[in-house]
């Protein structure tokens, strides 16, 4: 049976959360550049949390919060237009708390961008964990922009892959690279410790597992090349004892690191795995988390 060449997925609009913190401002400017790469509008959202605040705050306080939020949105829009004067920008003052407000604003097809830190004090309880909260609960891709000095672009996007099940979200990473006119690098970490101890594993078994991983990653790269024949695609299987550590090191040499988020096998509700959690805290570039529920409908298999 002939295999269909997959159609390129379409990248959605960018929704970025702003809260007045330096981290959020940096995220907004990064999001503006991302929206420019995608030729999509940028939607600025300040989640004022006034629905919850109204339970204990005075009407005057709520009004002051709203006015401060509007001023912040106007100021951020102005900063964005200084760098991207032709970019279409919209603003929203949400009444919801930050995680819910951003999820609502993104809808079904948007991409959420947040900074890795919020404001200090009480606001940090609402905003400081937004990156983790949105990445763990959103049904759309989420990009967390970490703090640090801006650096020149490397011209590459890195996808952290494991096996053939990563194909759906991998096309989204390819679309990111294509929009940036960058190369795509597939990195898979083969950690021998994950295969030792669960069964009576022999050395020949480990070698066969390693060969299977290399074959699967090459298959993923081949499928991407079918859809993006002009895209430079490299693939590599790295051997090591720390998957998170190897990916953190890889993040130092790329503009964006993309990885999938699988549903939890046990427990209630979605969660981030240990590797994703580590990357959101220590990666040296923005990290995009794509939930398994987000399957681009344009991809044919």
């Amino acid at each position: 049976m002939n295999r269909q060449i997959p159609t390129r997925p379409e990248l959605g609009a960018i929704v970025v959360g702003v809260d007045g913190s330096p981290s959020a401002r940096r995220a907004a400017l990064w999001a503006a550049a991302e929206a420019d790469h995608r030729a999509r509008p940028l939607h600025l959202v300040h989640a004022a949390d006034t629905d919850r605040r109204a339970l204990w705050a005075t009407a005057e306080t709520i009004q002051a919060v709203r006015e401060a939020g509007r001023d912040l949105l106007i100021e951020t829009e102005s900063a964005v237009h200084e760098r991207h004067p032709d970019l279409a920008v919209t603003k929203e003052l949400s009444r919801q708390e930050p995680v819910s407000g951003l999820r609502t604003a993104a809808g079904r097809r948007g991409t959420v961008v947040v900074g890795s830190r919020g404001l200090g004090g009480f606001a940090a309880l609402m905003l400081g964990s937004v990156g983790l909260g949105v990445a763990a609960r959103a049904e759309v891709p989420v990009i967390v922009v970490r703090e640090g000095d801006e650096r020149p672009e490397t011209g590459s996007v890195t996808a952290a892959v494991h096996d053939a099940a990563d194909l759906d979200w991998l096309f989204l990473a390819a679309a990111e690279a294509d929009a940036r006119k960058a190369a795509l690098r597939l990195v898979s970490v083969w950690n021998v410790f994950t295969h030792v101890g669960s069964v009576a594993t022999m050395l020949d078994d480990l070698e066969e597992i390693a060969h299977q991983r290399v074959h699967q990653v090459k298959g993923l790269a081949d499928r991407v090349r079918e859809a993006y024949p002009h895209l430079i695609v490299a693939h590599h299987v790295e051997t090591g004892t720390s998957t998170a550590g190897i990916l953190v090191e890889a993040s130092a040499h790329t503009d964006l690191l993309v990885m999938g988020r699988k549903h939890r096998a046990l427990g209630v509700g979605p969660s981030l795995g240990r590797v994703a959690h580590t990357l959101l805290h220590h990666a040296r570039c923005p990290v995009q988390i794509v939930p398994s529920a987000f399957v681009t409908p344009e991809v044919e298999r």
Side-chain angles (χ1 to χ4, degrees):
M1 183 168 114
N2 294 331
R3 185 174 64 185
Q4 289 181 304
I5 296 177
T7 303
R8 302 179 182 185
E10 186 174 343
L11 297 173
I14 297 291
V15 174
V16 60
V18 296
D19 61 18
S21 67
S23 179
R25 181 182 178 86
R26 181 172 182 269
L29 294 176
W30 188 94
E34 174 71 5
D36 197 31
H37 284 311
R38 296 185 178 194
R40 290 288 184 177
L42 176 68
H43 188 52
L44 305 175
V45 177
H46 176 67
D49 198 19
T50 51
D51 282 349
R52 186 186 62 83
R53 289 174 186 255
L55 298 176
W56 52 268
T58 65
E60 290 77 11
T61 298
I62 297 299
Q63 182 61 27
V65 168
R66 288 173 177 164
E67 290 177 0
R70 293 189 187 98
D71 291 343
L72 175 60
L73 288 168
I74 292 172
E75 178 187 350
T76 305
E77 180 185 34
S78 177
V80 166
H81 275 150
E82 285 184 11
R83 296 195 182 187
H84 305 276
D86 299 325
L87 184 65
V89 180
T90 56
K91 305 184 294 295
E92 177 184 349
L93 181 63
S94 172
R95 297 164 50 184
Q96 298 176 296
E97 54 84 22
V99 173
S100 297
L102 289 170
R103 291 173 66 191
T104 300
R108 298 179 58 188
R109 306 305 306 163
T111 296
V112 176
V113 177
V114 291
S116 60
R117 294 179 182 269
L119 296 169
F122 177 74
L125 299 178
M126 297 187 301
L127 302 174
S129 60
V130 168
L132 290 175
V134 178
R137 293 166 52 190
E139 296 82 14
V140 297
V142 176
I143 301 175
V144 178
V145 180
R146 287 187 43 75
E147 294 184 26
D149 295 333
E150 295 185 9
R151 66 183 187 185
E153 292 188 348
T154 65
S156 72
V157 170
T158 297
V161 300
H162 185 268
D163 53 33
D166 293 322
L167 182 63
D168 288 322
W169 67 260
L170 182 57
F171 283 109
L172 195 68
E176 287 278 10
D178 187 57
R180 295 164 172 267
K181 296 179 172 56
L184 177 67
R185 184 180 183 225
L186 279 57
V187 175
S188 181
V189 180
W190 186 72
N191 188 339
V192 65
F193 287 165
T194 63
H195 300 283
V196 175
S198 58
V199 293
T201 310
M202 303 298 290
L203 185 60
D204 289 345
D205 297 327
L206 292 176
E207 186 174 350
E208 176 60 26
I209 293 171
H211 282 307
Q212 290 176 1
R213 175 67 67 84
V214 172
H215 179 73
Q216 288 178 330
V217 174
K218 180 181 182 301
L220 290 172
D222 289 342
R223 291 300 305 277
V224 172
R225 293 187 185 102
E226 290 177 12
Y228 295 86
H230 302 296
L231 185 66
I232 297 175
V233 182
H235 63 279
H236 181 62
V237 176
E238 187 84 26
T239 302
T241 58
S242 172
T243 300
I246 290 173
L247 292 177
V248 167
E249 177 61 28
S251 71
H253 310 287
T254 191
D255 297 325
L256 179 67
L257 192 149
V258 187
M259 67 181 302
R261 189 197 82 207
K262 295 180 172 62
H263 287 301
R264 295 177 61 182
L266 299 173
V268 178
S271 180
L272 291 174
R274 179 181 59 83
V275 174
H277 198 276
T278 300
L279 285 170
L280 292 182
H281 280 89
H282 300 292
R284 300 171 191 174
C285 72
V287 177
Q288 183 176 42
I289 305 292
V290 185
S292 58
F294 186 83
V295 179
T296 49
E298 294 83 2
V299 176
E300 302 174 358
R301 303 173 83 181

